[in-house]
Amino acid sequence: MNARTTAAGLIAGAAGTTALNTITYLDMMLRGRPASTVPDAAIEKLGALFGNGGGDGAARESRRTAAGALGGILTGVVLGTVAAHVRAAGFRPATARGSVLTGLAAMAAADVPVAVLGISDPREWSAADWMSDVVPHLAYGAAVQRTLELLDPSPAGG
């Protein structure tokens, strides 16, 4: 693995995660909707599967919320790093296409485990639910793609 590529991916993943969180929090603020309980439920389910309860009461809830948020950050940074290495291997789609592909990959990374764990069924989501999921993930993809383009030292970059 190339350290420069990994560093670019970490930066791009952090930028994408910030974009996703910003869009999500703006949506919550504008529509007055509550935060998703899905990350907490996923951590709870995974904790039960691996025998880690995390304590009792408020401490358990706080740990579960923190672990869910950290899991989202970790996923975003890892996917940014994967995208950087895919780009370094020669797959360099145009900005719009790369943004959509990266956003859809991030959405799949978030939604597939949730469906497999039985926490939520995307087939039952409303149009508003889908928009609350698609738009932030596309923002993630756009931020990752553009950051990688800007950090690319090759003549074909950015």
Side-chain angles (χ1 to χ4, degrees):
M1 267 196 211
N2 180 315
R4 184 180 185 104
T5 300
T6 299
L10 292 170
I11 293 165
T17 301
T18 300
L20 182 144
N21 286 337
T22 299
I23 297 297
T24 298
Y25 291 127
L26 282 171
D27 177 41
M28 291 167 57
M29 186 178 74
L30 293 172
R31 293 194 301 147
R33 75 169 178 86
S36 174
T37 59
V38 169
D40 293 8
I43 294 300
E44 183 74 24
K45 193 100 167 198
L46 290 171
L49 287 173
F50 294 106
N52 181 3
D56 294 319
R60 178 186 179 116
E61 289 180 36
S62 296
R63 286 187 183 103
R64 187 177 59 216
T65 298
L70 288 170
I73 293 167
L74 179 64
T75 299
V77 171
V78 167
L79 284 174
T81 304
V82 169
H85 284 280
V86 168
R87 181 175 175 80
F91 183 66
R92 295 170 172 266
T95 302
R97 182 172 181 225
S99 296
V100 170
L101 290 173
T102 304
L104 291 176
M107 202 164 101
D111 295 346
V112 169
V114 166
V116 168
L117 289 170
I119 295 165
S120 181
D121 186 349
R123 296 172 299 187
E124 297 174 1
W125 291 358
S126 68
D129 294 336
W130 274 104
M131 290 305 291
S132 294
D133 196 45
V134 171
V135 173
H137 283 101
L138 289 177
Y140 170 88
V144 167
Q145 177 71 20
R146 192 63 188 130
T147 301
L148 291 175
E149 291 171 357
L150 291 170
L151 294 175
D152 191 344
S154 72

